[in-house]
Amino acid sequence: MSNHKSLLRYQNADQSGIIHSSPNSETSERDCTEQHWRFLYYFNVYRLLIGCSLILISWKFDQTNLGAYRYLLFVYTAAAYAIFGCLCMLLTRLRFSNLDRQLSFQLVGDILFFSIMLYASGGLQSGLGGLVMISLAIAGLISQGRMALFFASIATISLLLQEVYASITIDFYSAQYSQASLLGMAYFAVAWLAHQLAKNTVRSEKLATERGIDLANMSQVNQLIIQELPEGILVIDEDGNIRQRNALAETMLNLDSANKQNDSLKVSELLPEFVDLLSGWQKQSMIEHTEILRISCTNALVHVRWVPIQSSMRNGAVIFLEDMGRMEAQLQQLKLAALGRLTTNIAHEIRNPLSAINHAAELLQEEGVENNIGTRLVNIICDNTRRLNKIVQDILQLHQARVSNPSIINVHHFIEKFLEQFCLSEKTDRNRFNFIEGDDRQISFDQDQLNQVLWNLCSNALRHSTKQENSIQIKLSTDTQKIHVILDIINDGPPLDLQKSKQAFEPFYTTAPGGTGLGLFIARELCETNQATLEFVENPDGTQFRIKCKNIMTSYE
């Protein structure tokens, strides 16, 4: 425990947020001093009330012993005591001198004034000696037990001297030394109890301060841990109010600056699709549950884990949000990094024999082989050589850093030119493509990379289409706010089922014989490099892929 406290005391509050113990100790001492000054002020209010009450009682009630021996002396002393209380209130308010000196001065004044009033009232039978006991107890608590026994001894000596002086000056007065001794013992007992109570109070305050530092440190540590977690965290109460969240959760929920400063957010406002599930979990009293949901505000696929605080929802719950796309991207990066190291080592081992085979085939072809079988074999060698070389190039592209050199592209003109080149290169009819034109739109995209993306999508569409007229549709449009340019490539072939659509963008997954399974993956990577997206769209009439880019002309409209 001591090592733990020492560790916390030497943390840097400015860098880590951990609370340093020394400033808190000073703050605690300052707060205690202010509290003691306030108690001393209230003690002076008590003096004022006691002085006024004694004057009123001696004036209205003749049966009391107050002022029985010398009434005017008693009244004047009680009035002086009330004035003394007002003066002490002023000195306390002005913080004149320090606390201990003021308290000593005031307690000595109490003993003096009450001794005179005891004498004026005829001794201990007046009952005023108990008021000194109250003053000793209060002073002992305010001073935290310091000099409490000393003041008790002064009060006892004053009480005995008052008895001696009264027996000398008052006729027919018998000194009550035994009662005075018992009262003096009571003074010491009260002072000792006040001293012990003050010690316990100081010990409790010190322990509470240390516990407060520990709790504050633990709170800061928890906050740092929550902020650094790789998951989004939402802490909600039983009413669904979000009490705490980390930065990753704000990013996943797309909270703007206004919402970030709002402390009264509800989970139903941020995750409406989560409300029904949460209510179902509450009714079933489930300890923990997980679900995979798609957040509507960011269209992100999230693994949601809900854990109630303690054993039920009465104390709220903690919601963990884990980005599935991020997990898949990390896993994919690991696989591609391993693949990159492998392909870098074996690429030249494959390319060297390919180059030799291709060169030999070209020499064989130049010799003018007249046998048709020989010509066909040469073509087979050349085709397979080119295919193997393309596979190596595609694999090498997986781990290459993609640098975009974007330029402003008129999408309408670019697609028209692209379709001419594509149909000429692939030796296919132009009428198989139906370009549905929209308004002229401009986007920022690397031309070579956009050409590669469209080439891959159109090749896949041509391969899986019926190859009839208008089998492939290319639609150019914008969204409702005209913020994004949308380019859809649709073929009339069999629609892609949901299971295959989830794997379509995975590397090395292909449904075409002889395919590498890298085309769609590289196409999506190129789109993301140019701040665009490539996604699969469900279509019962065929297979549809959509490219969404920023509309450059939006700022001019």
Side-chain angles (χ1 to χ4, degrees):
M1 181 67 183
S2 60
N3 293 335
H4 171 63
K5 290 179 181 177
S6 299
L7 176 62
L8 292 179
R9 286 172 181 167
Y10 287 101
Q11 296 292 336
N12 188 350
D14 295 333
Q15 295 179 359
S16 63
I18 304 299
I19 299 176
H20 197 283
S21 63
S22 297
N24 277 278
S25 300
E26 295 174 0
T27 303
S28 177
E29 292 176 359
R30 185 167 57 251
D31 292 341
C32 290
T33 303
E34 291 295 329
Q35 186 178 12
H36 294 154
W37 279 108
R38 189 163 55 251
F39 287 161
L40 185 59
Y41 179 81
Y42 294 148
F43 187 26
N44 291 316
V45 175
Y46 161 78
R47 287 192 179 94
L48 176 61
L49 294 177
I50 288 295
C52 295
S53 300
L54 291 176
I55 296 173
L56 182 63
I57 292 173
S58 63
W59 178 42
K60 289 292 185 180
F61 302 97
D62 297 333
Q63 293 81 6
T64 62
N65 293 326
L66 300 179
Y69 177 65
R70 291 187 178 181
Y71 179 73
L72 290 179
L73 177 61
F74 177 82
V75 172
Y76 291 153
T77 305
Y81 184 67
I83 296 173
F84 175 73
C86 294
L87 176 63
C88 292
M89 288 172 61
L90 179 62
L91 294 177
T92 303
R93 181 68 70 180
L94 296 176
R95 302 289 195 273
F96 182 78
S97 188
N98 58 31
L99 181 67
D100 291 337
R101 290 181 180 177
Q102 281 215 34
L103 185 61
S104 301
F105 167 73
Q106 294 176 20
L107 193 57
V108 170
D110 283 345
I111 295 172
L112 178 62
F113 280 111
F114 281 116
S115 297
I116 295 174
M117 285 188 284
L118 273 172
Y119 171 75
S121 301
L124 293 175
Q125 65 269 18
S126 63
L128 293 176
L131 294 178
V132 180
M133 192 182 302
I134 296 175
S135 297
L136 288 173
I138 296 176
L141 293 175
I142 294 176
S143 65
Q144 296 182 344
R146 294 189 299 271
M147 300 181 68
L149 296 176
F150 173 73
F151 289 122
S153 64
I154 292 178
T156 303
I157 294 173
S158 176
L159 184 63
L160 293 174
L161 291 176
Q162 181 270 331
E163 285 295 313
V164 172
Y165 184 76
S167 65
I168 296 173
T169 59
I170 300 176
D171 297 334
F172 308 106
Y173 181 81
S174 60
Q176 302 176 359
Y177 295 112
S178 60
Q179 294 183 8
S181 300
L182 291 175
L183 188 58
M185 293 173 62
Y187 288 165
F188 277 99
V190 169
W192 182 82
L193 289 174
H195 175 67
Q196 294 299 319
L197 183 59
K199 285 176 59 178
N200 292 334
T201 303
V202 171
R203 191 180 302 113
S204 299
E205 289 178 352
K206 184 178 179 181
L207 182 61
T209 301
E210 292 179 354
R211 292 292 182 267
I213 293 173
D214 291 340
L215 289 175
N217 286 335
M218 291 303 298
S219 177
Q220 293 290 339
V221 170
N222 291 337
Q223 185 65 26
L224 290 174
I225 292 174
I226 289 175
Q227 291 298 331
E228 295 298 327
L229 281 176
E231 296 177 310
I233 303 294
L234 294 177
V235 181
I236 63 173
D237 57 17
E238 65 276 8
D239 298 325
N241 298 313
I242 298 177
R243 295 299 183 184
Q244 194 174 7
R245 60 187 183 268
N246 62 356
L248 184 57
E250 293 177 351
T251 302
M252 295 173 67
L253 299 176
N254 196 23
L255 293 179
D256 53 18
S257 58
N259 288 329
K260 287 181 180 180
Q261 298 175 357
N262 189 3
D263 295 331
S264 60
L265 289 175
K266 285 186 171 292
V267 69
S268 58
E269 299 175 358
L270 299 179
L271 295 170
E273 56 276 328
F274 187 67
V275 177
D276 295 336
L277 293 174
L278 186 60
S279 61
W281 297 336
Q282 290 175 344
K283 293 177 182 178
Q284 298 174 14
S285 300
M286 300 184 70
I287 301 301
E288 181 177 346
H289 191 74
T290 59
E291 193 78 25
I292 296 179
L293 298 175
R294 185 171 293 278
I295 300 177
S296 57
C297 56
T298 58
N299 198 33
L301 190 63
V302 175
H303 178 262
V304 181
R305 185 161 57 94
W306 174 82
V307 180
I309 299 175
Q310 295 183 356
S311 59
S312 65
M313 272 294 295
R314 288 177 297 178
N315 297 311
V318 181
I319 301 174
F320 297 88
L321 305 175
E322 192 172 7
D323 191 353
M324 298 295 292
R326 186 170 174 230
M327 291 178 57
E328 292 175 357
Q330 291 176 348
L331 183 60
Q332 194 174 82
Q333 289 299 326
L334 290 174
K335 293 191 307 190
L336 293 180
L339 180 63
R341 289 191 295 268
L342 175 64
T343 54
T344 301
N345 293 329
I346 67 174
H348 70 280
E349 299 293 341
I350 297 176
R351 277 186 160 175
N352 290 338
L354 286 178
S355 298
I357 294 171
N358 188 50
H359 183 64
E362 290 176 353
L363 292 177
L364 185 60
Q365 192 174 21
E366 288 177 359
E367 290 180 358
V369 181
E370 296 180 357
N371 190 346
N372 292 332
I373 297 178
T375 303
R376 185 167 60 85
L377 292 176
V378 170
N379 291 333
I380 292 174
I381 293 173
C382 293
D383 291 341
N384 284 277
T385 302
R386 285 191 293 269
R387 178 173 172 270
L388 288 173
N389 188 57
K390 184 178 184 304
I391 292 174
V392 173
Q393 289 179 348
D394 289 343
I395 293 176
L396 288 175
Q397 284 185 359
L398 290 178
H399 60 93
Q400 291 179 352
R402 295 180 176 86
V403 179
S404 175
N405 185 20
S407 60
I408 304 302
I409 299 175
N410 185 299
V411 185
H412 174 79
H413 296 157
F414 185 87
I415 293 177
E416 289 286 359
K417 185 178 179 181
F418 166 79
L419 288 177
E420 292 180 3
Q421 295 176 353
F422 180 81
C423 294
L424 182 63
S425 176
E426 295 294 329
K427 298 181 177 60
T428 184
D429 294 334
R430 174 63 176 80
N431 58 9
R432 292 179 180 175
F433 291 86
N434 180 22
F435 180 31
I436 303 176
E437 306 173 10
D439 296 334
D440 284 348
R441 297 294 172 183
Q442 293 181 349
I443 61 173
S444 177
F445 214 107
D446 187 294
Q447 293 193 19
D448 294 334
Q449 293 177 355
L450 179 59
N451 186 81
Q452 185 176 352
V453 171
L454 290 177
W455 201 286
N456 180 274
L457 294 176
C458 290
S459 297
N460 289 339
L462 182 63
R463 185 184 307 114
H464 294 94
S465 68
T466 59
K467 297 181 176 57
Q468 303 295 323
E469 185 175 353
N470 297 328
S471 293
I472 303 170
Q473 294 184 0
I474 300 178
K475 293 183 179 180
L476 178 62
S477 61
T478 58
D479 55 9
T480 54
Q481 292 82 18
K482 295 186 178 181
I483 299 176
H484 296 94
V485 174
I486 298 175
L487 190 61
D488 291 308
I489 294 92
I490 310 168
N491 68 77
D492 60 356
L496 197 63
D497 59 60
L498 188 60
Q499 181 63 31
K500 291 182 178 180
S501 66
K502 294 180 180 179
Q503 300 175 317
F505 294 100
E506 293 183 2
F508 304 108
Y509 175 80
T510 180
T511 58
T516 62
L518 298 175
L520 286 177
F521 173 78
I522 295 175
R524 187 176 64 174
E525 292 288 310
L526 293 175
C527 287
E528 292 177 356
T529 303
N530 290 271
Q531 288 77 47
T533 60
L534 174 60
E535 58 186 10
F536 170 78
V537 179
E538 292 188 27
N539 190 336
D541 298 329
T543 303
Q544 179 177 352
F545 288 93
R546 173 173 293 172
I547 302 173
K548 184 184 291 187
C549 309
K550 181 74 174 179
N551 186 9
I552 300 300
M553 295 185 66
T554 303
S555 58
Y556 301 103
E557 294 178 351

